[in-house]
Amino acid sequence: MVYKSEFHHVVLGSEAVMHLLIEEINKLEIESRLLDPPKGLRNDWNKAVVAHVESFFDSLETQKAYQYEDPLQKNRIDQSSFENPAPFEDVLLQIKHQIDNTGINTTSSRYFGFIPGGGLYPSALGDYIAAVSNRFSGNFYCAPGAVRIENKLLHWLSELIGYPKGSSGNLTPGGSIANMVALISARESFKFKAKDFHKIVIYLTQHTHFSVEKALKIIGMREAILRDVAVDEHYSMRAEILKEQIKKDREEGLIPWLIIASAGTTDVGSVDPIDKLSVIAEENALWLHIDAAYGGFFMLTEIGKKLFSGIEKSHSVTLDPHKSLFLPYGSGALIVRDHSKLQAAFSQKANCMEICETIVSELSPCDLSPELTRHFRAMRLWLPLQLFGVNPFRAALNEKLLLAQYFFEKITQIPQIQVVSRPALSIVAFRYLPKKGDPNRFNEALIKAINDDGRIYLSSTKINGNFYLRFAILSFRTHLQDVDLALNTIREIAQTKDNK
Ligand SMILES: *Cc1c(COP(=O)(O)O)cnc(C)c1O
C-alpha cells in the first residue's frame, strides 16, 4: 500500500474525496496494526525470548571469557535487510552467534578486565517492565510514580554519601556523562565566562579517568589548565603538593577551580585522600568532585566508608551502578550536594512544557540533567533493591574486597611477579619479570596469550611507561573458585612462556 500524497492537496469537503480518504486510512490501519502484536503472538515471542535467555544462562559456565568473532558470521549483520520481516527463531540465532558469543563475555565470572559488573537479572526484568509501560520519567507531572522512584533512589544515594538534605542528582547513562554533568554544574556555579577559561585550573592526577578530560573538551573548556598533581607510593594524590600548587597558581593570576578526586582509580584502584582534599577545597573555595564511578558502592562496606571518609564534604559525586552495583550497562549517577547548582545549570523554560508546571511537588529529572525524553532507568535499579534488599550487595562487595586481598597474597608468591601495590579496593596491577628479554614485550605477549586461551579475560595499563596486567574483581558472579582458576591460568601460561 502506498501513501497517496495527493490527499494533501485536494480540497476536502467533497463527499467523494472523503470516501476515498477513509478507504485509504482503513487500508493503512490493517498494516500499521502489525506494530501492536496480539496476546497470542506476544506469548509466543515471550516464550522464545525466555528460552533464548535460559540457554544463555545454561552456557555461562562453559562460555569463554573472550571469544574472537567467527569469520563465517562476520558479514551476516551487514548483509541483513530490514525490508521484510524475519522469523523470530532466525533473529534469536543471529543474536546468539553474532552478539552473545563474540568479544568479551562481560557476564562471565571469569571476566577480570576493565571494570566488571555482570548485569543483574532483575534489572533486565525492570527494563522490560519500564519499556512496556513506557512512562515519561523526565517530568514529575507526566509520571509522578516513576519520578518518585527515581528521587527515592537519588535520596538513598545521597544518604550513602552522607550529603545533607537539599542534595539531589540524576540517573545518567553512565559515569562519563555523570562527570560531564558535574563539570557543567561546577562551571555554572562559578559563573565563568569563556574569556577566562584559559586561566581556570583543574587539579587531578595521572590516574584520573580520561572521561574528565573528554568532558572538558565536549563542554568547550579545552583551554582550561590541567594540573597533574604528584601521587604517593600508593598512587594517591599528594595533598601537600596540591596545596602548594593552588597557592602558586593563585600568585600567578590563575583561577583555581576544581579538584577531581578518585574514589577508586580505574588503573590501579587507588583512592585519593578525600578528607584532606576536602579541607583544601574548603580553605580555597574550590569545587571538589569525587569520581567514584568504579569504587562508589564500596561505601556500603565498612572498609569503603573508612577509605572514602570526607566524601560527604565534597560538592558532587559520580557513581556507576553498572559497575559496583552490578547493573547492566547504561546506569550511572551524579549526586550533587546542593541541588540548586544542578537546577541552575539545567532547568529551562519552554512553552510546550508549561502544562507540566501545574504539578511540581517533586524535582523533575529534566530540570536536573541535559535530558528530556529518556529511558526510565530508575526501574532497573529499584527492582533489584526491592527484590534482594541491600544486604546481598554488601556481602558481595565485601567478598570482592577479600578476594582481591587473596589474589594479592597468592600472586605475590610467584617469584617473578611484581605487583604495583596492595589493593586498596579490588584491582591488582601486576607484571611478570621474565628471565630474559624486555619485560614490556613479555607482558604484552602474556596478556595476549591469556586472553586467546579464553578461560579468563584480563586488561592492561601502562604506569610510568611500564606495561602491566590488571586483575579487576567486581562481577557479582566472581567467587573464590574463579580467582583460583585465574591464578592457575596466569601462572601456567606465564611460566610456560618464560621457559620457552
Ligand atoms: C568507568 C569509569 C568512568 C566512566 O564511566 P562510564 O560509565 O564508562 O561512562 C569514569 N571514571 C572512572 C573512575 C571509571 O572507572
Side-chain angles (χ1 to χ4, degrees):
M1 267 164 274
V2 184
Y3 172 66
K4 299 223 172 56
S5 59
E6 60 265 34
F7 285 127
H8 264 171
H9 306 292
V10 295
V11 183
L12 292 180
S14 130
E15 280 282 322
V17 171
M18 283 306 279
H19 182 76
L20 281 175
L21 182 69
I22 289 166
E23 207 168 71
E24 189 61 22
I25 289 171
N26 285 337
K27 268 197 256 166
L28 289 169
E29 178 177 328
I30 293 169
E31 194 158 6
S32 74
R33 272 183 181 275
L34 291 174
L35 293 176
D36 202 4
K39 191 168 182 167
L41 185 54
R42 279 205 308 273
N43 277 339
D44 291 347
W45 285 356
N46 290 347
K47 274 191 213 137
V49 169
V50 169
H52 169 89
V53 165
E54 285 307 314
S55 108
F56 179 85
F57 278 127
D58 288 344
S59 69
L60 206 47
E61 287 226 351
T62 50
Q63 271 176 37
K64 284 187 159 190
Y66 188 87
Q67 182 79 56
Y68 285 94
E69 213 177 11
D70 177 354
L72 290 175
Q73 300 285 350
K74 254 183 195 164
N75 298 321
R76 289 193 54 196
I77 291 179
D78 288 344
Q79 284 159 2
S80 62
S81 148
F82 300 126
E83 277 312 310
N84 294 304
F88 206 174
E89 312 85 78
D90 292 0
V91 178
L92 289 170
L93 272 179
Q94 200 183 1
I95 293 172
K96 177 174 170 164
H97 293 304
Q98 278 129 279
I99 301 171
D100 293 350
N101 287 346
T102 61
I104 302 169
N105 182 358
T106 51
T107 57
S108 169
S109 60
R110 295 164 278 110
Y111 163 51
F112 300 102
F114 306 99
I115 307 282
L120 295 173
Y121 185 63
S123 295
L125 298 180
D127 275 355
Y128 174 64
I129 293 170
V132 169
S133 64
N134 202 27
R135 292 302 96 162
F136 185 90
S137 69
N139 181 278
F140 180 73
Y141 163 87
C142 303
V147 174
R148 272 189 212 285
I149 282 180
E150 173 147 350
N151 287 349
K152 165 88 187 161
L153 289 166
L154 293 169
H155 183 70
W156 178 66
L157 297 175
S158 301
E159 278 191 332
L160 193 61
I161 295 164
Y163 275 167
K165 237 176 140 218
S167 64
S168 188
N170 57 82
L171 298 181
T172 66
S176 302
I177 302 294
N179 279 341
M180 184 183 80
V181 172
L183 293 179
I184 295 169
S185 308
R187 183 191 67 195
E188 294 303 292
S189 166
F190 278 62
K191 301 195 164 52
F192 287 135
K193 297 253 166 37
K195 68 177 172 50
D196 293 322
F197 285 177
H198 66 286
K199 285 192 271 180
I200 290 168
V201 193
I202 300 154
Y203 303 89
L204 29 71
T205 76
Q206 65 182 111
H207 295 284
T208 304
H209 194 269
F210 66 90
S211 58
V212 169
E213 199 171 340
K214 178 169 164 179
L216 282 168
K217 271 198 252 171
I218 297 170
I219 69 171
M221 295 186 78
R222 68 167 82 222
E223 308 100 302
I225 301 161
L226 295 178
R227 291 268 186 256
D228 256 350
V229 180
V231 293
D232 63 16
E233 72 276 20
H234 303 293
Y235 299 88
S236 309
M237 189 187 283
R238 289 179 56 184
E240 74 287 1
I241 304 244
L242 169 70
K243 206 167 164 170
E244 278 165 32
Q245 186 67 51
I246 294 172
K247 187 160 169 273
K248 210 162 125 213
D249 286 337
R250 269 207 214 292
E251 283 164 6
E252 284 175 16
L254 300 175
I255 311 169
W257 169 40
L258 179 65
I259 303 168
I260 311 255
S262 302
T265 59
T266 320
D267 269 352
V268 294
S270 56
V271 180
D272 289 325
I274 298 174
D275 211 21
K276 286 185 189 159
L277 302 185
S278 73
V279 175
I280 298 173
E282 168 98 49
E283 284 169 0
N284 289 278
L286 306 192
W287 184 290
L288 175 61
H289 174 66
I290 314 291
D291 183 355
Y294 151 54
F297 290 97
F298 284 110
M299 276 183 294
L300 288 167
T301 71
E302 289 307 313
I303 292 171
K305 252 185 238 157
K306 214 177 263 169
L307 273 174
F308 302 168
S309 81
I311 195 168
E312 70 285 354
K313 289 180 261 175
S314 66
H315 297 80
S316 51
V317 179
T318 285
L319 296 162
D320 250 350
H322 62 204
K323 289 178 179 167
S324 41
L325 215 56
F326 322 123
L327 259 62
Y329 296 136
S331 280
L334 176 73
I335 307 296
V336 178
R337 158 187 279 275
D338 175 356
H339 81 261
S340 70
K341 306 281 186 198
L342 262 180
Q343 234 166 345
F346 292 103
S347 188
Q348 185 74 37
K349 285 219 171 290
N351 292 337
C352 66
M353 295 297 286
E354 247 173 43
I355 189 171
C356 301
E357 288 166 27
T358 52
I359 309 177
V360 288
S361 31
E362 291 252 350
L363 293 170
S364 282
C366 69
D367 289 323
L368 303 167
S369 83
E371 293 180 290
L372 177 59
T373 309
R374 66 209 276 275
H375 180 47
F376 174 21
R377 56 180 79 90
M379 185 61 104
R380 51 173 24 216
L381 175 52
W382 186 75
L383 200 59
L385 286 169
Q386 291 283 311
L387 293 182
F388 296 136
V390 85
N391 282 327
F393 290 95
R394 200 170 274 133
L397 289 163
N398 273 314
E399 181 196 21
K400 306 315 150 200
L401 291 172
L402 296 185
L403 284 174
Q405 297 301 321
Y406 175 83
F407 179 84
F408 172 81
E409 291 296 335
K410 287 278 194 178
I411 196 98
T412 45
Q413 283 168 15
I414 304 173
Q416 299 86 346
I417 291 280
Q418 186 193 46
V419 174
V420 158
S421 63
R422 182 176 271 281
L425 297 168
S426 70
I427 295 173
V428 183
F430 65 94
R431 60 182 185 154
Y432 188 98
L433 298 174
K435 290 194 207 105
K436 53 182 191 301
D438 175 30
N440 280 358
R441 282 264 179 73
F442 183 90
N443 284 283
E444 281 163 21
L446 174 60
I447 198 168
K448 186 169 181 319
I450 289 173
N451 292 337
D452 283 355
D453 173 85
R455 276 175 288 173
I456 63 170
Y457 182 86
L458 303 184
S459 63
S460 64
T461 191
K462 266 207 174 126
I463 303 169
N464 304 326
N466 291 326
F467 186 92
Y468 282 89
L469 283 67
R470 281 173 73 264
F471 190 76
I473 307 175
L474 201 59
S475 168
F476 68 99
R477 291 197 177 99
T478 297
H479 306 295
L480 189 59
Q481 64 184 42
D482 304 297
V483 175
D484 277 332
L485 180 118
L487 282 161
N488 289 337
T489 308
I490 294 165
R491 187 189 299 114
E492 174 197 310
I493 295 178
Q495 287 175 349
T496 309
K497 272 191 103 50
D498 198 21
N499 291 331
K500 250 191 204 155

